[in-house]
Amino acid sequence: MTPLLQVKGIEKLYGARIGCADVTFDLYPGEVMGIVGESGSGKSTLLNCLAGHLVPDAGQVIFDTRANGPVDTVTMSEPERRMLSRTDWAFVHQHVRDGLRMSVSAGGNIGERLMAVGDRRYGDIRDKAIDWLGRVEIEAARVDDRPTAFSGGMQQRLQIARNLVTGPRLVFMDEPTGGLDVSVQARLLDLLRGLVREMGLSAIIVTHDLAVVRLLADRLMVMKDGHVVEAGLTDQVLDDPQHAYTQLLVSSVLQV
Amino acid sequence: MSAYNFAYLDEQTKRMIRRAILKGLAIPGYQVPFASREMPMPYGWGTGGVQVSAATLTPEDTLKVIDQGADDTTNAVSIRKFFEKTAGVETTEETEKATVIQTRHRIPEAKLREDQIIVYQVPIPEPLRFLEPRETETRKMHSLEEYGLMHVKLYEDISQHGAISTAYAYPVKVCGRYVMDPSPIPKFDNPKLEMDAIQLFGAGREQRIYAVPPHTRVVSLDFEDYPFEATKADHPCDLCGAEDSYLDEVIMDDAGNRMFVCSDTDYCRSRREAGHMGRLAEENAA
Ligand SMILES: Nc1ncnc2c1ncn2[C@@H]1O[C@H](COP(=O)(O)OP(=O)(O)OP(=O)(O)O)[C@@H](O)[C@H]1O
Ligand SMILES: [Mg+2]
């Protein structure tokens, strides 16, 4: 089977400081990869390099495109990359303000990607928006409300709906449960797990929270100082950590 | 008059503006940046249009200036006087006789010809500005033809008002490529944007010029199930009886009586001169 994503030797420097370095892994269709590590370990830097938001200084990010098979997204043209990021890719931001249009209704937020790829029937767009609100457990009656009128948990669910409406194949998530109350987090995790299974999504999830990866990730990478120090099946890594840093992390000494 | 160069602007500046105009004509609907000059009038008065007109006029031209369809508003009169004084060109109120027409908020009802140029005063040239305030991002959206956001705006309109409520500055796609703000003309005028004359758009404060060459396809954005409609008040003109012209609603007295009259004053006058009469024609006949 061809990997959906092949990451080879990704490196990103901020001046002399290492953002992330020498990151290599494959992600297969339907797989969820978790990335954990302490604050400043390079998780977001890596994720942004993979999603095309940052240009890495070295390495390749090869995505198995529908049309042309595996293509290096780092060197593909910007229009192609932007097209990918609103069709086959999705990006769930930690801060909903980065991922939602706060002055546009919930329906308009969900409909944006549909319209961006050429959907031109208002009735269909609205139906799909309402359907997706239901799938993320928001009442249909809220379709014309702006996200500013939603709770934090609802906003995050709306962001997820807005991202998944075009049926992406790869979802990038940066701390999707960050900043939410514990009970709200649990509900969001259940929802995400359901959607990932139901849609057969492949995902890369960055988090501080080992409970999140335990629940969602098939595989795990542990990062420290910009490098991957340990990688493997989630349960293996968490139950039998090999690297001293992972052992500290798992023993929750370093949990933030 | 001798205190000024022809049409106020120096030749260097006019050349710079003409280059922007030519570039605009070569790339229909594309916003060309230009170094807008201080003009002896405030920005809200159409300094962008005035600069484009100044760079376009020749001594042989006949200029018409309209504001909301009328030749006699303060804005139209002062711009007309400005060019009478600085360029010494002939001016007219008759659409037929004009070779250059500067306008704010309307396209004349009379069909424009290939030998005419219409210059629009534009306050905000960027149609994506409402939803995306970052200029770097809107430029990128234009360059990559990412126009989904325009439909988000129309979607919001329908979801809030049950119909596309945008009545002015209704966005269009030019030549199948650039999305363009046609300036705050009523959407009734949008179908006229496909015309025989050259159309030039000038935004002074925002320093942009754009253009639509003659016979260029201009499509108003819409949804399949909410198609674009060039609406107007459902009345004939009370003065000239025209049923095909854009109407202004005028309050006539303290009792709240109203009348509908052509916003294009020259069109209305020429119809009345040709003997057409509306509901209130006699009592208003001078
Ligand atoms: N824009 C930037 N300019 C300079 N240095 C940066 C920039 N962004 C991140 N860094 C540095 O790169 C390293 C990795 O940062 P990154 O944000 O990727 O970490 P992270 O693992 O996502 O942390 P957190 O868990 O706090 O979000 C850190 O040393 C950080 O200070
Ligand atoms: Mg981070």
Side-chain angles (χ1 to χ4, degrees), chain A residues 112 126 185:
Chain A
E112 180 173 347
R126 196 170 173 79
Q185 281 188 16

Side-chain angles (χ1 to χ4, degrees), chain A residues 78-79 82 86 101 104-105 107-108 112 115-116 120-123 125-126 143-144, chain B residues 131-132 137 140-141 144 146 148-149 151-152 155-156 158-159 222-226:
Chain A
E78 191 177 16
R82 282 176 71 117
R86 56 178 198 267
R101 290 192 189 277
V104 168
S105 69
E112 180 173 347
M115 293 181 253
R120 291 292 175 267
R121 286 195 71 81
Y122 174 85
I125 294 162
R126 196 170 173 79
V143 66
D144 293 329
Chain B
L131 291 167
E132 181 50 73
E137 189 59 20
K140 182 152 284 175
M141 288 167 154
L144 300 179
E146 289 180 5
L149 257 197
H151 276 87
V152 172
Y155 172 96
E156 292 291 284
I158 300 171
S159 68
D222 63 3
F223 288 101
E224 286 163 24
D225 44 352
Y226 284 83

Side-chain angles (χ1 to χ4, degrees), chain B residues 19-40:
Chain B
R19 272 197 297 273
I21 291 172
L22 289 175
K23 187 167 175 183
L25 283 165
I27 316 169
Y30 173 75
Q31 297 169 49
V32 184
F34 81 110
S36 183
R37 292 287 188 266
E38 285 285 327
M39 297 302 283

Side-chain angles (χ1 to χ4, degrees), chain A residues 143-162:
Chain A
V143 66
D144 293 329
D145 292 352
R146 292 187 176 176
T148 41
F150 287 3
S151 69
M154 285 167 79
Q155 290 179 347
Q156 193 57 292
R157 281 180 274 138
L158 177 62
Q159 191 192 180
I160 288 163
R162 162 183 161 89

Side-chain angles (χ1 to χ4, degrees), chain A residues 38-45 47-48 94 174-175 206-208:
Chain A
E38 65 188 340
S39 184
S41 58
K43 305 181 297 293
S44 296
T45 300
L47 195 72
N48 283 310
Q94 172 176 359
D174 196 350
E175 307 276 7
V206 159
T207 181
H208 281 95

